[in-house]
Amino acid sequence: MTLQIKTLEQYKEVYQESVEKPEFFWAKQAETFHWQQKWDNILEWDFKTPAVKWFEGGKLNITENCLDRHLATRGDQPAIIWEPNDPNAPAKTYTYKELHAEVCKFSNALRANGIEKGDRVCFYMPMVPELAIAVLACARIGAIHSVVFAGFSATALADRIKDATCKMVICSDYNARGAKNIPVKAVVDEALKQGCSSIEKVIVHKNTGGEVQWDDAKDIWWHDTMKDRATTCKPETMDSEDMLFILYTSGSTGKPKGVVHTCGGYMVYTAYTFNNVFQYQEGDVYWCTADVGWITGHSYIIYGPLLTGATTMMFEGVPTYPDASRFWKICEKHQVNQFYTAPTAIRALMAKGDEYVNGHDLSNLKVIGSVGEPINVEAWNWYNEKVGKGNAPIIDTWWQTETGGIMITPLPGITDTKPCYASYPMPGIQPILVNADGEEVKGNDVEGLLCIKFPWPSMIRTTYGDHERCRQVYFSAFENMYFTGDGCRRDADGRLRIIGRVDDVINVSGHRMGTAEVENAINEHPAVIESAVVGYPHDIKGQGIFAYVIAQEGTAGDADFEKELRAVVTKVIGPIAKPDKILVVPGLPKTRSGKIMRRILRKIASGDASNLGDTSTLLNPEIVDAVRKAAGV
Ligand code: WT7
């Protein structure tokens, strides 16, 4: 197991060592894993290209470390506890032995269905244990998984399948979410009509058992292909820098990009951070409520916990079904020790009233975590008092799809906590604040753009199929630094507070979205001439989506038009990208070079039209008043 820091003194020492001798520090952590062959070189890096290699020459299979390694010591311990959507249905437990057997069986099934090392396999599945099993099976045979959140539309799914030229899709028949039974296979069918010629087979897991369309030439039932498979499977030997997975995420321009993570570094970093950030102890039950469709689910439902030999929970449903006490009922039922969720869920549950949390036995909680977006002080206090009862420290963990693992966070019981502050860097992480010119913002009580100036094992290696884009987006803004896209404040004592994105990325209920992506979707409506999308403060979602639309005459105030716009966004991206507010405007404020002045639109969307700044240099200054009037501010 990796080193678990226990005291503040130790954190300071370890941190110092990790900065002064990073290679020595990470090699020590890496040595605690099972390698088929040791690495030749700990680290090689250059942020210009960028080219980052950790533990080069090392041979491993991450699933041997997640599963095989634990069989002798904890074979009968629960690895995954699955809590179904239906509160009256029994939970399902997989011990490490059982999980190992299921993963091996599915690995053999994948191979029998023509999947080989290096092939890309797309997932479009609800939160069922088969998702974790199949992801691990891919990793075992060296196939690259690309999990797509099952809330995305057929078009969004097709885009991702095509970008990674996936050979197979693994899906379910339906998704049981609250009172709804959402078709899943039908969305895959729809996606495959959109030019996904690389797909040879679709493996379908029967979840709720509803009707599905069937194509004998390519569709295969999970239970059929699993029949009589051997329960052992020799893992593929992977190089440390071989690709482990692709995960698509949104940026400020263009289509979502496939963030690439590799085997060795990702393994070491997710295990190290899981062990330390959650202070996991033998026998604890850990629950992260994220979806495996996002990086949080990859790193802290599947890989980090299983690498650590933990018991990790998976929940199929939603926090408000059958009512707003579901999370707390599950915590009580499974005596959850570490609980990790998103601010948007906390705010939504807080809004339902304290009666839903009160009266549940949450005394097993030792650590409660927050992730994905800034947590406001009211939500932080409520979480602290009502859920943690003042006994379980809140860890406000900042990180990104691109960072692979948690970067900045308090360590519970070790470092202090302060509302809204992610606070301190993990060992091995060297954050730096810079101004727009790339000069370091030194000292305390200051603000700047958050960058990281030294590589860490689980950092992004490339964007799939387009390395130049990776360089451009993350490594070109400032020399020799990884640019996060976030603004950050350092308080008088040196704690870090993430303020939010400084680019055209918005964070809606913890879902990351590019405003350009939403605009492109809106623009597909034939009556739309131009649109501009910005985020605005939203009580529950953190940010809401505000769409300014220039449309053909006669559409203003037309309720059907708004409905159609939401439908087109749902079709192109998915319901998570539906605009909360749509405003038809006669024009958009633009600079002389034709760029939309989003700063002004953001202000107006927030309901505040004071201090719009100097608008006289605009190409069309008169439009500002017109937009303001249309918005009623
Ligand atoms: C963006 C990354 C980290 C996994 C889930 C989201 C925002 C993330 C925090 C936090 C304030 C946060 C940032 C970041 N963010 N965690 N604790 N406090 N903001 O991953 O979808 O890649 O989004 O989420 O803006 O850049 P993601």
Side-chain angles (χ1 to χ4, degrees):
M1 228 39 87
T2 54
L3 169 97
Q4 196 177 66
I5 295 166
K6 284 283 152 209
T7 65
L8 183 58
E9 278 301 286
Q10 214 186 348
Y11 165 70
K12 289 181 179 161
E13 264 167 42
V14 170
Y15 185 77
Q16 180 123 6
E17 178 191 76
S18 78
V19 171
E20 284 168 2
K21 295 187 279 178
E23 302 192 12
F24 173 76
F25 171 77
W26 285 116
K28 249 193 324 193
Q29 308 312 323
E31 272 157 15
T32 66
F33 294 86
H34 172 68
W35 296 80
Q36 295 171 4
Q37 185 185 305
K38 202 174 165 174
W39 53 87
D40 306 316
N41 211 351
I42 301 167
L43 170 65
E44 201 139 345
W45 69 288
D46 117 54
F47 277 180
K48 257 197 188 71
T49 310
V52 175
K53 289 179 180 156
W54 282 93
F55 314 115
E56 212 186 346
K59 307 275 185 208
L60 76 154
N61 187 288
I62 197 167
T63 71
E64 278 190 293
N65 286 281
C66 288
L67 302 168
D68 306 57
R69 188 166 61 127
H70 303 309
L71 293 181
T73 47
R74 49 170 60 89
D76 295 321
Q77 179 205 303
I80 293 179
I81 300 176
W82 179 67
E83 178 68 26
N85 177 59
D86 177 357
N88 300 314
K92 202 164 165 186
T93 297
Y94 292 81
T95 64
Y96 271 93
K97 250 188 221 152
E98 289 164 341
L99 184 61
H100 175 264
E102 290 301 301
V103 169
C104 286
K105 280 171 72 181
F106 198 71
S107 302
N108 293 324
L110 283 173
R111 278 184 178 149
N113 283 295
I115 299 299
E116 294 170 11
K117 179 175 178 176
D119 287 342
R120 276 82 55 214
V121 175
C122 181
F123 286 74
Y124 189 76
M125 260 176 128
M127 284 288 287
V128 290
E130 286 76 8
L131 169 54
I133 289 165
V135 158
L136 290 164
C138 275
R140 193 160 184 93
I141 66 164
I144 297 158
H145 53 80
S146 168
V147 183
V148 176
F149 175 62
F152 280 116
S153 70
T155 305
L157 173 61
D159 286 345
R160 286 157 178 77
I161 289 172
K162 285 183 272 188
D163 188 76
T165 52
C166 295
K167 206 164 162 184
M168 175 184 273
V169 181
I170 302 175
C171 68
S172 291
D173 54 356
Y174 285 82
N175 180 356
R177 252 177 102 70
K180 294 186 206 152
N181 191 25
I182 302 167
V184 174
K185 167 72 162 59
V187 179
V188 174
D189 294 341
E190 192 57 43
L192 296 194
K193 284 184 202 146
Q194 300 179 31
C196 301
S197 54
S198 57
I199 296 295
E200 292 171 7
K201 287 183 181 170
V202 178
I203 297 185
V204 188
H205 163 249
K206 192 177 269 187
N207 187 29
T208 70
E211 288 254 316
V212 288
Q213 300 244 338
W214 206 254
D215 173 359
D216 280 326
K218 65 167 184 21
D219 295 340
I220 300 160
W221 282 114
W222 171 287
H223 53 263
D224 283 341
T225 192
M226 281 287 262
K227 229 176 262 157
D228 304 324
R229 297 282 172 206
T231 54
T232 56
C233 170
K234 193 172 175 298
E236 193 67 46
T237 296
M238 305 297 283
D239 277 311
S240 207
E241 284 297 337
D242 277 344
M243 242 181 248
L244 176 63
F245 66 85
I246 305 168
L247 185 58
Y248 285 85
T249 192
S250 296
S252 46
T253 54
K255 289 201 172 200
K257 46 188 177 276
V259 172
V260 169
H261 285 290
T262 56
C263 297
Y266 179 82
M267 170 177 80
V268 172
Y269 195 78
T270 53
Y272 180 77
T273 48
F274 175 79
N275 191 22
N276 278 284
V277 174
F278 297 98
Q279 290 287 304
Y280 187 85
Q281 302 301 311
E282 203 65 53
D284 283 350
V285 175
Y286 161 86
W287 181 22
C288 166
T289 71
D291 193 288
V292 171
W294 311 113
I295 191 70
T296 309
H298 282 62
S299 302
Y300 299 109
I301 293 178
I302 299 181
Y303 289 112
L306 296 178
L307 286 164
T308 311
T311 297
T312 179
M313 282 241 311
M314 256 179 108
F315 174 44
E316 184 183 30
V318 294
T320 48
Y321 176 82
D323 65 38
S325 67
R326 188 70 194 273
F327 272 5
W328 322 124
K329 286 214 164 73
I330 297 175
C331 283
E332 180 171 347
K333 175 175 170 191
H334 295 286
Q335 305 187 7
V336 171
N337 300 107
Q338 291 90 3
F339 178 73
Y340 192 29
T341 197
T344 190
I346 298 167
R347 286 189 297 262
L349 297 177
M350 181 171 81
K352 296 273 180 189
D354 294 353
E355 61 270 30
Y356 291 102
V357 58
N358 289 344
H360 290 97
D361 179 9
L362 302 176
S363 60
N364 288 293
L365 290 176
K366 295 190 280 191
V367 177
I368 54 177
S370 169
V371 60
E373 45 175 326
I375 179 166
N376 50 310
V377 69
E378 296 78 13
W380 197 98
N381 285 330
W382 186 85
Y383 199 28
N384 185 40
E385 285 158 26
K386 300 293 167 189
V387 180
K389 321 270 188 209
N391 291 320
I394 296 180
I395 47 165
D396 178 355
T397 62
W398 173 85
W399 56 298
Q400 309 176 298
T401 305
E402 295 87 342
T403 70
I406 295 168
M407 302 285 279
I408 303 178
T409 178
L411 293 181
I414 295 167
T415 59
D416 55 23
T417 62
K418 177 175 171 180
C420 314
Y421 277 77
S423 298
Y424 307 106
M426 285 301 290
I429 303 307
Q430 301 187 35
I432 176 173
L433 303 188
V434 301
N435 64 20
D437 297 325
E439 292 152 350
E440 179 167 8
V441 180
K442 292 196 174 136
N444 286 344
D445 206 6
V446 292
E447 248 178 67
L449 303 168
L450 179 61
C451 295
I452 314 289
K453 63 179 180 190
F454 195 84
W456 63 101
S458 64
M459 69 184 291
I460 179 174
R461 297 300 196 272
T462 189
T463 43
Y464 192 81
D466 191 352
H467 192 63
E468 170 57 15
R469 191 163 176 206
C470 174
R471 189 195 65 79
Q472 176 73 35
V473 173
Y474 306 105
F475 298 93
S476 72
F478 308 110
E479 212 183 322
N480 258 323
M481 287 181 229
Y482 166 82
F483 176 45
T484 65
D486 281 317
C488 180
R489 143 154 227 95
R490 188 161 50 223
D491 78 359
D493 305 310
R495 291 182 204 89
L496 299 173
R497 173 182 190 158
I498 311 303
I499 297 161
R501 303 290 304 199
V502 295
D503 50 10
D504 291 322
V505 169
I506 51 178
N507 194 324
V508 182
S509 301
H511 300 320
R512 179 167 157 186
M513 250 168 273
T515 52
E517 242 179 294
V518 184
E519 287 162 8
N520 290 341
I522 290 173
N523 296 350
E524 291 209 359
H525 189 290
V528 172
I529 295 164
E530 198 182 0
S531 65
V533 165
V534 296
Y536 72 97
H538 187 289
D539 282 349
I540 305 283
K541 300 178 172 186
Q543 280 188 300
I545 303 177
F546 196 118
Y548 295 90
V549 179
I550 308 176
Q552 278 160 14
E553 238 164 274
T555 42
D558 179 346
D560 280 344
F561 179 56
E562 284 204 10
K563 243 191 244 156
E564 286 165 25
L565 285 183
R566 290 198 172 92
V568 86
V569 173
T570 303
K571 182 170 167 284
V572 176
I573 305 174
I576 55 175
K578 262 193 297 195
D580 297 277
K581 291 187 186 168
I582 294 169
L583 186 68
V584 175
V585 290
L588 293 164
K590 291 195 176 166
T591 63
R592 295 241 157 95
S593 60
K595 254 188 87 182
I596 295 170
M597 278 287 264
R598 287 166 192 281
R599 182 179 57 75
I600 292 172
L601 296 178
R602 276 194 287 266
K603 271 232 127 191
I604 294 174
S606 75
D608 172 14
S610 64
N611 288 324
L612 287 180
D614 184 12
T615 56
S616 64
T617 58
L618 289 177
L619 188 69
N620 51 354
E622 71 290 345
I623 211 72
V624 175
D625 253 355
V627 172
R628 217 165 44 75
K629 271 204 200 97
V633 292

